Structures are given as C-alpha cells and as structure tokens.
Amino acid sequence: MGHAAEGWTTVATGQVATRVVADADVAPPSVVAQLGEVAVSAIAAHGPVASVGIGVPGLYDPATGCTRFLVNMPGPWAGRPVAGPVGEAVGLPAFLINDARAFGLAELNLGAGRGASSMVGLTLGTGVGGVFAVDGRVHEGHDGTAGEIGHQTIDPDGPWCNCGNRGCLEAFARADQIAQACGTATAEEAVRAAEAGDDRARAGLADVGRYLGIGIANMITVISPDRVILGGGVAAAGELLFAPIRAEVARRVRTTSIADVTILHAELGVWAGAIGAAVHGAQRAAVA
C-alpha cells in the first residue's frame, strides 16, 4: 500500500506488483478491502505467489499486522487490522512494512543501494519517509519504527508537524510545505516551475534542500553510511535539490569524510515501495 493521500495504492504479491488509483478520503475499512481486491486481481493475472507484502505510510504493529498511526492519512487507523484481512482475501500469509523501509529494502537489494554496506534513504512526497541499513540489512528496530528520519527534530521551535511534534524535518520538507515555499499549488508544479527558471520556485527548493541537508548530515554523523539515496516525486528536481543538500552536508558533517559518502537518486521509481514490500513478505514468510 503506497501513499493513498497521493492518489495511489500499490500491492506487492510475491514478485508481482499492481498500482491503482485510490481515494484518500474513503474510510479505512474500504481502503483495506481495496487492498485485498487488488491482491486477488494481481494473483489471478500473474500467480501463483507464496506471500503478500503491504507497505503502509506510517507506524504498525508487526506482531498483529495492524496499523498504529498513519501521519498523513485521514481516518481512524489506530489498531486497524490490515495484514489479516488482506491475507484472508487471498489465502496467503501477508505482512506489513513501513513504505519507506520497503523503498529502502528494494533500493538496497535491486536499485541504487546495491553493494552498499551502510545506507540512508529518504522518500520525498506527501511526507518525508526514512530508512537506514547497516551491514547490508535494513534496520527496522524492535517494532518496525526505526528510520523515521522525517520525524527527527531539526528546529525545536519550528512549525508543527502532522505527527504532533514541532520542528520535524517533515514539517519543512513535505509536499504542501514545498508548494508553499515555491508559490505553487503542488510540489510537482514547484519542480516544473523551478526547472523552467522560476526564481521563487528555485529559491524555495534551495531552502527545502537546506533543511533536508541538515537532516541528512545528522544521519551521516550517526551512521557514517556509504550512500544516501533520495526517492519520491520531489527528488525529480535533481540538482536543484541535490546541490543545496550536498552544500549543507559539507557545511555540517565534521566527524567523517563526506568524500566517501555518495548522495544519489533512487533507481526504481514509483515501484520501489511495492517491490520492497514483496521482498519483505517473502523474507517474513520464509521464517514464519
């Protein structure tokens, strides 16, 4: 399941992924039912498969397969069963993973992170998702929450974040804030305007890049990764965003050589989350 708030739901079944339009305003039970329907259709078209992986844009309970807190999705998602109903719909084991961690799992194994020992990843869209890998493995923590890079505090007196904290990286770099900084209706329009030479849009992306650079510099200082990988729609801005990120990282990292840290664009595009969810589902099923 991708960011429904962005208008898409993705379901990965084994090594098959399907992408359909989703309505961010529908009730959670209807979203879960749609996930099951998409999985059934994907298996019918491309099966057989052995497991189902579902990426959720927020926090979940890996033991129960229920969502806990989906920051940017409306509706009562706390304690909502997701893996169970989807698994029952298709008659297969189903497992949840945070969608940014799924992105990282895919990029680490099949994309821009191939061969990296340690990696930091960010997905830039409705929110700012995060992931990190150490010794070639995505680290999820004891409850699947490790890697919430977007919810690190970078300004204790900064704007409110949708998570309830002040000054999170996401509060400065999520899609609606990018649009506001660039004077456009959407983040996608901001990228297009900046590419067309609009001064306000270019300055807005530079400011967002600075905040992202601060957050990334923090992660580099803590983890000392080989690579930092940026994905999601906003990353399409390329050097308009990457240049200020690199400049801020160079300004702030003092404990490790940034010459040995590569900051680059993700390779797997919109399918990364679904691919990573499928990999996660297969890995979990293998040890279940």
Side-chain angles (χ1 to χ4, degrees), residues 158-253:
W160 287 103
C161 180
N162 290 336
C163 75
N165 184 34
R166 292 193 72 143
C168 289
L169 174 59
E170 182 170 300
F172 293 94
R174 65 178 187 258
D176 62 337
Q177 294 299 105
I178 293 172
Q180 181 176 326
C182 295
T184 58
T186 67
E188 291 78 13
E189 288 181 18
V191 172
R192 290 195 293 269
E195 290 174 336
D198 182 272
D199 289 339
R200 180 175 176 182
R202 293 172 75 93
L205 282 182
D207 285 342
V208 170
R210 177 171 178 256
Y211 288 119
L212 287 168
I214 293 170
I216 291 169
N218 290 341
M219 297 305 298
I220 291 173
T221 299
V222 172
I223 297 172
S224 189
D226 306 334
R227 298 177 207 174
V228 176
I229 298 172
L230 304 183
V234 179
E239 285 303 305
L240 291 171
L241 191 65
F242 280 55
I245 287 173
R246 292 192 182 101
E248 198 64 28
V249 166
R251 185 175 298 117
R252 294 183 179 274
V253 174

Side-chain angles (χ1 to χ4, degrees), residues 32 52 54 64-67 80-89 92-96:
V32 175
V52 179
I54 308 166
T64 65
C66 297
T67 50
R80 175 68 55 185
V82 177
V86 174
E88 291 170 5
L92 293 169
F95 304 93
L96 301 187

